[in-house]
Amino acid sequence: MPVLEIGGLTTSQVRQRISQGRVNITRDKSSRSIGQILRSNVFTLFNAIIAVAMVMVLLTGQWRDSVFGFVIIVNTGIGIVTELKAKRTLDRLSILMASKYLVRRDGHDVEIAHDQIVQDDLLWVRAGDQVPADLEILRTWGLELDESMLTGESRTVRKSKGDKAYSGATAVSGMAIGRVTAVGEHSYAAKLAAEAKVYKKTHSDLNEGINRILKFMTFLVVPLCVLLIWTQMRTVGGWDAAIATGQWRQAVVSAVAGVVGMIPEGLVLLTSLNFAVAAMRLARKNTLVQELESVETLARVDSLNLDKTGTITSGGIMFDRVDMLDDIPENSEDRRDAMQALFDLANEAQPNGTGAAILDGLGGKGFSERPVAARIPFSSDRKWSAIVRGAEHTGGSGMTAWYMGAPEVVLAGLDGQYRGTLERANAIAETGSRVVLLAKCEIGHEAAVAAQTFAENPRLLPSARPVALVVCSEHIREDAERTLAWFREQGVRCRIISGDNPRTVAAIADKVRLTGNDAPRYMDARDLPDDLEELADTLERIDVLGRVLPEQKKAIVQALHRRDHTVAMTGDGVNDTLALKEADLGIAMGNAAPAAKAVAQVVLVDSKFSHLPDVVARGRQVMANMERVASLFLVKTVYSAIISLGVVLTAMPYPYLPRHITYVGALTIGIPAFILALAPNTRRYVPGFLKRVVAFALPGGIATGLSVLLSAWIVPRVMGWDLARQSDLDSLRATSAIILFLMGVFVLSRVASPLNSWRGALVAFFAACGVIGMFIPFVAGFFALIIPTGTTLIATGAALLIASAIFAVCVWLVPKIGRIITRETKTR
C-alpha cells in the first residue's frame, strides 16, 4: 500500500458523524407493510359481497348452502402469498455487496464494514472492490472503474484526481484513495434503489374487467337483495309469519341464491389459479415470475426494449482474429513472433477486458507466458501498452519494442503515412468489433540500457511500424437472432437501448438482424428531445439508441406509453432499474445486479434470451383462454340477474337453492373452465376483452334466464302445484336445476367449440357426470337433487324442449339485435 502523509478522520470526528447520522446505512423501507397487503387482499368488494352472503346463510343454519364462500379463502390466500413474495424480494433490494473496506483514520489504515463508513472518511478503493459510497478521488494509482451497472456503458473508465466515483461501480484495476462525499440514502446507488423500491401493482386487463363487472353488479346486488328478501318473506306469509314459523331462514337462503349467482366468484378464483399455474410452468423453464398478474401482461406486449449487454450480448469480449498488415503466410515465423508478442503485451498483472480476451484466445492456440525485458502497462490515458523483448527471445541481434493500443492514437505518434491502415481499422470498428493495433520497433544494442528505464519513461517510438490489427468482438448470444426473428413475426417491435456507442450497437443489431433485411436506424441519445411527445415521435423512427442515461431509459418507456404501447424492458444493471420499474413488464437476466432482479416482474434465471418467446407465448395462452372461459361465468351473472328481477316482479319463491347453483356451476362452468384455460393457445391478445366476453355471454344468459322463469311460471300451473307446500316447491326447484344444467351444457358446448376433438369429449364427460350424480344418494341428498318421475318427468321434458328452442333463438337473434343497436349508436 502506498505511504501517505494524510491521516484521515480522527476517532472523535468519526463519533461525531455517527451521532449526526452521517453513516453509510440505508434504512430498509418496506414497499408495503404486511398489514397493508393483508387489508388490500382481504377487504375487497368481491370478498365483501361473498362474505356477507355466506354469513347470512350460516345464520339460517343451512351450512350446505354456504359452500360457495370457500372461494374467498383460496382466492385471498393466493393474492396474499404472491404479494408477500414480491414484498420480500423488494425488501432485500441491495445494490452494494456486503464486504470489508479499508479506510484511513488516525494516520492508520483500518478495515471496516461498509455500514461503518462515515462521511468525509478517506476510503481506499482497490481492484475488485465495489465502491460502497460516493467519493471524490484524491490520489490514484491507475484506478479504472466498471460503471456499466450505473451508466450502461460496458467500457471501463479511468479515474483521475478530482473525479467522482459513484457507489455501485466496481474497480477492475489499479487503486485510489478518495474522500467520501455521500453516504447511505444520499448516495447515487441508494437514490436509484429508493425510487425502484416504490411498489407498483401490475396492471391487469383481466382483473380490471372483472372489477368493473363487480362494481356494476354492486349497484344491482344491494337493492335487489333487499327486494328479494322482502319478496321471499311475502311468499311465506309475511314477516310476522316468517319469523314465527322459522320460514325466514328459507327466505334468506332463497335471496342469497339470487345474489350469489350474479357474482362470478369462480372467475376471480380461476384467474388467480391460472396465473399461478402459468408461473409454475415458466419456473420449470428457468423463468421466475415475481408477480402473477405479469403473466397476463406478456400477452399484451407490443414493444420490447432490449439492453444490449447481457441480453443481445453476454457481456464478455471474445478474441476474434489477427489481421496481418503485410502479406505474411499463416504458419510463418514472423506471424508466430507477432502473436507471441501480442500474448506478452496482454499478459499484465490485471489485464482489462480486451487483454483477458486475447490471453484466452491465444492461450487456446498454444501460446504461453515468456519473459520480457521491460513493460509499460496499458493506460486509458495513453490508450496503449508496450513491452521490450531481448534478442534471446526475438532471434535477432538487438532488442524489439512492441506496442498495442488504439489505432488512431498509436498511428498518430508514428512517422510515415498510414491512412489506409486507419481506414481499415475504422471499417472493422463500424461492424461492432473492437480493434487494437500491434506495432513493432527494432531498437538495437545501443538501446539495451534504455530498456531498464523504459517503464519509468513511457514513450512511443516514432520509428515503430504497424504490424497487425487485432480484432475482438462482444460475444453475441447464439439465440439472439432466432429470438428476435420470432418477435418480428409476432408483431412485437424491438429496440436496442444501450449506454455504448450507437454506431457499435447498430452494427451488433445488424448482425442479429434486429430489423430483418433492413439496416437498423440508430441515434445518439444525447440528441434526443426532452419533451415526451417529441420523444415518442422520434422513437417511432429509431431502432437503436446509444449513450443512453438511466433517466432517459425511463423517459423512453414513458414516451412509448404516450402512444398506447404495452412496453416490456430487459435489463441487467442498476442503471436499468428505473426503466424496468416504469415498464409494463420488467425482465431481468439471472446474472443481473440484485437491484435489477428485485424490481423486475420476470427473471430469466439462466440468463437465456431464448426463453422470452416461451414467456410471451405463456402469457398469450393465459389471456386467450381466460377470455374464452370468462364467458361461462358471465352467463351465470346474466341469467341470475334476469331470474332475480323476474322473481321480484312476480313475487314468487326463488326457483332454485344456492347449492343447486354450486352443483351446476361446478360441472358446467368451474371445472371445465379450469381445463379449458390450460389448453394451448398462442393467439395474440387484442384489446376489448370485456366487450367481447359480454357479447358472447348475453345470448346464453338471456336464454337460461327466460327458460327458468317460464318454467317457474308455467309448470306449477300445469302440474297443479301449490308452492306454499314445501314438497311442491322442492319439485319446482329440482326441475329448475335440471333446466339450469341443460343450458349450462349448451353454453359449455359453445365455449369449447370446435367439438371434433378432445373438447367434445370434455363436454360429454361433464354432462354425463351431472346426470350420474343425480343417481348417487349422497350427492343427490347433499345438493337437494330430485329425479323427476311420472307426470313430473313429462312436464320436465317439455320444459327442456322449450328451453332448447329458446336457446337456439337467442343465440341467433341476440347478436343481430346487438349489431343493430351498435350501428344506430354510432350513427347518432
Side-chain angles (χ1 to χ4, degrees), residues 107-153:
H108 302 284
D109 293 327
V110 183
E111 196 172 57
I112 60 174
H114 79 281
D115 57 358
Q116 294 175 336
I117 298 170
V118 299
Q119 191 162 345
D120 299 323
D121 251 331
L122 296 185
L123 175 70
W124 287 100
V125 179
R126 301 163 290 181
D129 285 350
Q130 189 178 34
V131 181
D134 295 352
L135 304 173
E136 179 186 354
I137 303 298
L138 301 179
R139 290 186 63 180
T140 176
W141 292 267
L143 177 68
E144 291 192 20
L145 295 180
D146 176 4
E147 298 180 338
S148 61
M149 288 296 180
L150 299 174
T151 66
E153 286 199 53

Side-chain angles (χ1 to χ4, degrees), residues 509-779:
D510 195 35
K511 283 184 179 180
V512 296
R513 293 167 54 83
L514 174 70
T515 51
N517 295 324
D518 299 326
R521 296 163 294 179
Y522 63 90
M523 183 177 181
D524 193 314
R526 289 173 291 189
D527 300 326
L528 287 175
D530 294 327
D531 181 74
L532 288 181
E533 287 296 332
E534 293 180 26
L535 178 58
D537 292 336
T538 303
L539 290 174
E540 294 298 326
R541 305 186 297 271
I542 298 299
D543 305 303
V544 173
L545 283 167
R547 304 297 186 200
V548 183
L549 298 174
E551 295 78 10
Q552 286 181 307
K553 291 186 177 184
K554 179 180 178 181
I556 288 168
V557 175
Q558 291 173 330
L560 291 171
H561 283 157
R562 292 288 183 95
R563 294 294 181 266
D564 295 325
H565 290 296
T566 302
V567 184
M569 174 84 194
T570 70
D572 64 350
V574 176
N575 63 297
D576 298 317
T577 54
L578 299 182
L580 288 171
K581 201 68 183 172
E582 186 68 27
D584 298 286
L585 184 72
I587 304 171
M589 297 295 163
N591 56 2
K597 288 189 285 189
V599 302
Q601 287 97 341
V602 175
V603 178
L604 305 181
V605 178
D606 55 6
S607 302
K608 288 187 177 179
F609 181 41
S610 57
H611 286 323
L612 279 182
D614 289 334
V615 173
V616 173
R618 188 64 62 193
R620 289 183 174 180
Q621 176 195 30
V622 170
M623 200 60 188
N625 286 338
M626 284 308 299
E627 182 175 318
R628 176 191 289 266
V629 302
S631 304
L632 282 173
F633 293 95
L634 289 192
V635 165
K636 182 166 70 74
T637 299
V638 172
Y639 72 64
S640 294
I642 292 173
I643 293 170
S644 297
L645 188 60
V647 167
V648 168
L649 293 176
T650 58
M652 61 177 286
Y654 210 86
Y656 52 81
L657 296 171
R659 70 185 84 172
H660 289 148
I661 202 69
T662 301
Y663 181 79
V664 172
L667 294 176
T668 63
I669 300 176
I671 303 174
F674 184 76
I675 296 172
L676 290 172
L678 300 180
N681 197 329
T682 57
R683 180 174 64 82
R684 184 181 175 187
Y685 174 71
V686 179
F689 160 80
L690 185 58
K691 180 180 178 180
R692 290 192 298 274
V693 167
V694 171
F696 190 92
L698 281 176
I702 292 173
T704 305
L706 291 178
S707 299
V708 172
L709 283 176
L710 288 174
S711 173
W713 292 333
I714 297 172
V715 171
R717 289 176 172 81
V718 172
M719 298 298 297
W721 289 341
D722 180 5
L723 297 184
R725 283 202 305 266
Q726 188 62 45
S727 59
D728 288 347
L729 181 58
D730 290 342
S731 297
L732 172 63
R733 287 173 170 168
T735 300
S736 298
I738 293 172
I739 295 173
L740 277 180
F741 180 73
L742 175 68
M743 302 303 274
V745 171
F746 286 164
V747 172
L748 177 60
S749 300
R750 284 194 73 207
V751 171
S753 62
L755 301 178
N756 57 349
S757 62
W758 62 271
R759 299 176 189 275
L762 175 78
V763 175
F765 173 77
F766 283 104
C769 287
V771 175
I772 293 171
M774 297 178 65
F775 292 91
I776 300 175
F778 171 76
V779 175

Side-chain angles (χ1 to χ4, degrees), residues 171-188:
V172 293
S173 63
M175 64 183 300
I177 189 168
R179 176 173 285 109
V180 176
T181 58
V183 292
E185 297 173 344
H186 302 288
S187 69
Y188 182 74

Side-chain angles (χ1 to χ4, degrees), residues 354-366:
T354 302
I358 291 172
L359 288 175
D360 187 55
L362 293 181
K365 296 179 182 294

Side-chain angles (χ1 to χ4, degrees), residues 284-413:
R284 289 198 290 267
K285 294 188 177 182
N286 290 314
T287 302
L288 173 63
V289 177
Q290 302 197 104
E291 293 181 28
L292 293 185
E293 288 84 356
S294 61
V295 173
E296 177 208 317
T297 310
L298 299 169
R300 298 186 283 113
V301 167
D302 62 1
S303 182
L304 176 60
N305 293 343
L306 301 168
D307 185 41
K308 174 182 70 68
T309 306
T311 303
I312 303 298
T313 64
S314 63
I317 301 173
M318 237 178 14
F319 172 74
D320 195 348
R321 66 185 188 276
V322 174
D323 288 350
M324 304 301 293
L325 296 176
D326 297 326
D327 189 13
I328 299 176
E330 180 71 25
N331 297 319
S332 67
E333 190 60 35
D334 287 343
R335 182 179 178 86
R336 287 196 59 81
D337 186 44
M339 302 275 269
Q340 181 61 53
L342 180 61
F343 184 93
D344 293 335
L345 280 161
N347 191 28
E348 298 181 0
Q350 292 177 328
N352 59 19
T354 302
I358 291 172
L359 288 175
D360 187 55
L362 293 181
K365 296 179 182 294
F367 291 91
S368 58
E369 179 182 2
R370 292 190 181 181
V372 295
R375 177 184 296 278
I376 300 176
F378 179 81
S379 163
S380 294
D381 293 330
R382 288 188 304 269
K383 301 292 184 184
W384 55 266
S385 61
I387 58 170
V388 173
R389 300 173 66 199
E392 67 275 15
H393 303 305
T394 63
S397 57
M399 305 187 80
T400 306
W402 289 87
Y403 295 89
M404 178 178 73
E408 65 275 13
V409 175
V410 175
L411 292 174

